[in-house]
Amino acid sequence: MAYLIDGSSHRAGIKNEAQLREYLKNGAAKKLYPNLSDNLRVERRGGTTFKQDIEIIDGETTILISAKKKNIVNKGSFDWVNSSAAVRDVASLIKFASVVSEIRRDKPQYGLAKLRVMGAAYDSICNMTSDELAFLLDKHIKGKNKDMKIIITESNTGKNWEYSFSDSPLYHAIGSMTPEIVIGRGVDSAQVKFRDSNGNLFDYGLRIRVVTNNGISALIGTSDVNKSSTPVVKFQQDNIAGLIDSLGNKIRMF
């Protein structure tokens, strides 16, 4: 699957957050959370400082919201994690980052640079242990989203869905099952599934991707758009429609 490196996904996300803030301000917040007062505020967060994109603040009550946008929910994915910092957390990703640094220094031709990056990504995914994977999932998904309300917006229809991350099957799987990487046809990505104590394997639509954030041209200094490219690890949510269905009465459409 191709992914965008021209900033369009980021700009679309910011636009979605702005529209969602206005919607929440104009009555949706009170419908979702009827115990809030008329003095509530809806504030923008996000950036490098906050995991939450939006906060609803009412006196001593603060509701944290992570905004996820798709044009159509039964196509594509959204990110749980897109982090350069997480690359420093486990040995398999540190090795990937080391190779990326070597390529940045050597500045080989584009084709060779791409092959080296993709080879290093594949090695990193194949060599990642279950303990490393569990650590990343616990720290960067479960830990950072445990108090989060997730709002998924389908821009094509204007539909929104809201749920508490702590109610999701993924949250409970991270805390109680053993994660496994399942290699498929991808080179720099693979599925993440979960095995319970009885040996059963469960798929919650999670994918790991090991890439550079601005692509190969920026890495070797030939891009006219981006001046640098750093190693990142992504955890993505595939099968968004399946996620919505799996939540049953734990998710609300508004």
Side-chain angles (χ1 to χ4, degrees), residues 124-140:
S124 175
I125 290 170
C126 289
N127 294 325
M128 186 174 291
T129 68
S130 182
D131 286 345
E132 287 180 326
L133 184 56
F135 179 85
L136 292 169
L137 296 176
D138 186 72
K139 179 178 180 180
H140 294 285

Side-chain angles (χ1 to χ4, degrees), residues 5-7 213-215 217-219 221-229:
I5 58 172
D6 61 358
N213 66 339
N214 286 326
S217 295
L219 180 62
T222 61
S223 171
D224 295 328
V225 178
N226 297 301
K227 300 303 180 184
S228 65
S229 190

Side-chain angles (χ1 to χ4, degrees), residues 7 9-10 20 29 51 70 78-79 96 106 109 112 118 127 180 184 192 224 239 242 250:
S9 295
H10 178 65
L20 180 58
K51 177 67 177 176
K70 294 304 300 178
F78 64 70
D79 287 348
F96 172 71
D106 297 344
Q109 291 293 320
L112 179 56
M118 295 188 75
N127 294 325
E180 297 182 8
V192 176
D224 295 328
N239 190 16
K250 301 292 186 181

Side-chain angles (χ1 to χ4, degrees), residues 21-246:
R21 286 200 312 276
E22 288 303 309
Y23 189 35
L24 291 168
K25 284 180 184 178
N26 294 331
K30 281 279 288 181
K31 290 181 180 178
L32 285 171
Y33 315 110
N35 291 331
L36 296 178
S37 76
D38 294 332
N39 297 319
L40 67 87
R41 306 191 324 271
V42 183
E43 303 288 350
R44 177 184 177 183
R45 293 294 184 255
T48 59
T49 305
F50 299 95
K51 177 67 177 176
Q52 64 272 26
D53 300 303
I54 297 169
E55 288 183 1
I56 301 174
I57 303 167
D58 183 26
E60 295 182 357
T61 299
T62 300
I63 298 171
L64 311 179
I65 294 172
S66 179
K68 310 294 187 182
K69 171 189 170 291
K70 294 304 300 178
N71 290 334
I72 304 173
V73 296
N74 62 4
K75 293 184 179 180
S77 61
F78 64 70
D79 287 348
W80 289 114
V81 177
N82 184 351
S83 174
S84 58
V87 172
R88 300 190 291 269
D89 282 343
V90 297
S92 55
L93 293 176
I94 291 171
K95 187 172 182 180
F96 172 71
S98 177
V99 174
V100 171
S101 294
E102 292 171 4
I103 297 167
R104 184 185 298 114
R105 180 198 65 209
D106 297 344
K107 293 182 170 52
Q109 291 293 320
Y110 179 93
L112 179 56
K114 183 174 182 178
L115 284 172
R116 288 173 62 183
V117 168
M118 295 188 75
Y122 185 75
D123 288 344
S124 175
I125 290 170
C126 289
N127 294 325
M128 186 174 291
T129 68
S130 182
D131 286 345
E132 287 180 326
L133 184 56
F135 179 85
L136 292 169
L137 296 176
D138 186 72
K139 179 178 180 180
H140 294 285
I141 298 185
K142 185 180 180 183
K144 293 180 180 180
N145 290 283
K146 64 179 181 179
D147 298 319
M148 200 78 70
K149 303 291 187 183
I150 310 297
I151 293 183
I152 302 169
T153 298
E154 185 177 55
S155 59
N156 245 21
T157 63
K159 294 177 181 177
N160 298 275
W161 293 264
E162 184 267 1
Y163 70 97
S164 298
F165 182 72
S166 59
D167 284 337
S168 68
L170 179 59
Y171 174 88
H172 294 289
I174 292 172
S176 62
M177 298 186 195
T178 302
E180 297 182 8
I181 286 176
V182 179
I183 303 291
R185 297 175 62 184
V187 175
D188 56 8
S189 74
Q191 290 180 296
V192 176
K193 298 186 180 182
F194 296 84
R195 195 171 297 278
D196 68 11
S197 57
N198 296 318
N200 301 305
L201 196 62
F202 294 86
D203 182 1
Y204 297 111
L206 192 63
R207 175 170 295 275
I208 184 172
R209 190 178 296 277
V210 179
V211 295
T212 57
N213 66 339
N214 286 326
I216 303 301
S217 295
L219 180 62
I220 60 176
T222 61
S223 171
D224 295 328
V225 178
N226 297 301
K227 300 303 180 184
S228 65
S229 190
T230 58
V232 297
V233 59
K234 298 185 178 188
F235 285 98
Q236 296 179 318
Q237 179 68 53
D238 294 341
N239 190 16
I240 299 168
L243 165 67
I244 291 170
D245 288 344
S246 74

